[in-house]
Amino acid sequence: MTDALGWRRKFGVIAPSTNTIVEPDFYSMTVPGVTAHFSRIHIRNQDLSDDANFEHLLVQIRDEIGAACERVLTCEPDYMVMGMSAETFWGGVEGNREFVRQIKAITGLEVATGAEACERALKIYGARRIGVVTPYQPVGDQNVVKFFSEIGFEVTAIEGLKCPTAVAIAHVTEDELRDAIRKVDGPDVDAIVQCGTNLSMVRLADEAERWLGKPVIAINAATWWMALRDNGIEDKVYGAGSLLREH
């Protein structure tokens, strides 16, 4: 039997319980016949005020992610989408691969991650030198740089916004993000990448591409793009950047 609304694909999505941006972002980019079904990872302590607390957030995610996957599997999704990004960059390339292996082992399904989605997008654009914006503490930024460096990209500048709590990431304004984009941009930068799925940048990235004249990759748009294209869904989505509109 075919699902009445998700007749093309049902995506199982895993996101932290503190995240208020990724779910509406994904819904805003959906296409006919594709549905997203969220399962929340319980974040008990959302303090991100320093490196140690930031790393503790990932410990909570690792403890809870298996149960979150098992819950969403009960709706019988066709594919998994990770609505979080820090864990997908952690430990560089091998860390990402191990994370993907873990999700596949639990669910038996293919999975879209923010790290891999950004890699694919940058290769499509032919970018080599990138500026990066994150909501992270320095330890998070270090792992982002490690991942991109290991896959052959040069991070010329990174702006970590050091958000004090997990919920506070969603409080960052467009003005603050615009300033961050300008800080990491330059004539030697081929593309801008934004990490952190609770950072609201899909709409701004679409606008920024026009005034910068270069790709600006919002991680929620890239992850959704990867999920659609992996499943043979080629629909164009407007208002979320050139990746979903042109590729």
Side-chain angles (χ1 to χ4, degrees):
M1 299 295 291
T2 301
D3 191 89
L5 295 181
W7 47 270
R8 295 167 84 185
R9 286 293 187 274
K10 293 187 294 187
F11 292 159
V13 186
I14 306 301
S17 57
T18 50
N19 192 314
T20 60
I21 299 299
V22 69
E23 188 168 4
D25 267 1
F26 282 179
Y27 290 157
S28 73
M29 295 182 287
T30 196
V31 299
V34 176
T35 52
H37 308 280
F38 275 72
S39 185
R40 296 287 180 160
I41 301 165
H42 189 184
I43 304 300
R44 291 176 170 82
N45 177 5
Q46 58 160 307
D47 182 0
L48 303 181
S49 58
D50 56 30
D51 282 350
N53 282 314
F54 191 91
E55 292 196 79
H56 181 61
L57 177 75
L58 298 183
V59 171
Q60 295 178 77
I61 287 172
R62 291 163 191 156
D63 287 344
E64 295 281 345
I65 195 168
C69 287
E70 289 169 1
R71 280 192 293 272
V72 82
L73 282 177
T74 61
C75 77
E76 300 180 0
D78 303 298
Y79 184 88
M80 295 297 294
V81 183
M82 292 300 104
M84 57 185 181
S85 64
E87 180 74 343
T88 74
F89 289 102
W90 216 261
V93 170
E94 186 50 42
N96 177 263
R97 288 173 179 164
E98 178 54 36
F99 178 78
V100 170
R101 283 194 290 267
Q102 177 192 4
I103 301 304
K104 286 183 177 179
I106 295 169
T107 66
L109 300 172
E110 296 298 314
V111 55
T113 71
E116 186 175 351
C118 288
E119 177 185 5
R120 291 188 190 186
L122 289 168
K123 287 179 177 177
I124 281 178
Y125 287 119
R128 281 289 166 228
R129 297 173 300 278
I130 62 174
V132 181
V133 176
T134 84
Y136 304 150
Q137 293 290 338
V139 67
D141 292 345
Q142 290 163 15
N143 278 275
V144 170
V145 172
K146 175 180 173 66
F147 176 82
F148 283 122
S149 297
E150 288 179 354
I151 59 175
F153 298 98
E154 178 187 352
V155 179
T156 63
I158 186 166
E159 179 71 5
L161 299 175
K162 302 181 180 65
C163 294
T165 69
V167 167
I169 296 171
H171 301 167
V172 177
T173 66
E174 282 198 350
D175 284 345
E176 292 172 299
L177 287 171
R178 195 177 294 110
D179 289 343
I181 290 170
R182 291 191 174 112
K183 285 181 182 178
V184 301
D185 186 33
D188 61 334
V189 172
D190 301 320
I192 308 292
V193 175
Q194 170 257 316
C195 303
T197 62
N198 204 28
L199 205 55
S200 182
M201 199 164 131
V202 169
R203 181 176 62 181
L204 179 61
D206 183 57
E207 296 173 2
E209 288 187 323
R210 288 187 279 275
W211 41 266
L212 290 178
K214 63 184 67 175
V216 180
I217 300 168
I219 198 158
N220 288 349
T223 307
W224 191 250
W225 165 81
M226 176 179 171
L228 291 176
R229 302 303 183 250
D230 266 7
N231 286 274
I233 297 166
E234 300 295 330
D235 301 45
K236 295 181 179 181
V237 177
Y238 294 88
S242 59
L243 190 62
L244 276 158
R245 186 176 65 247
E246 300 173 5
H247 300 283

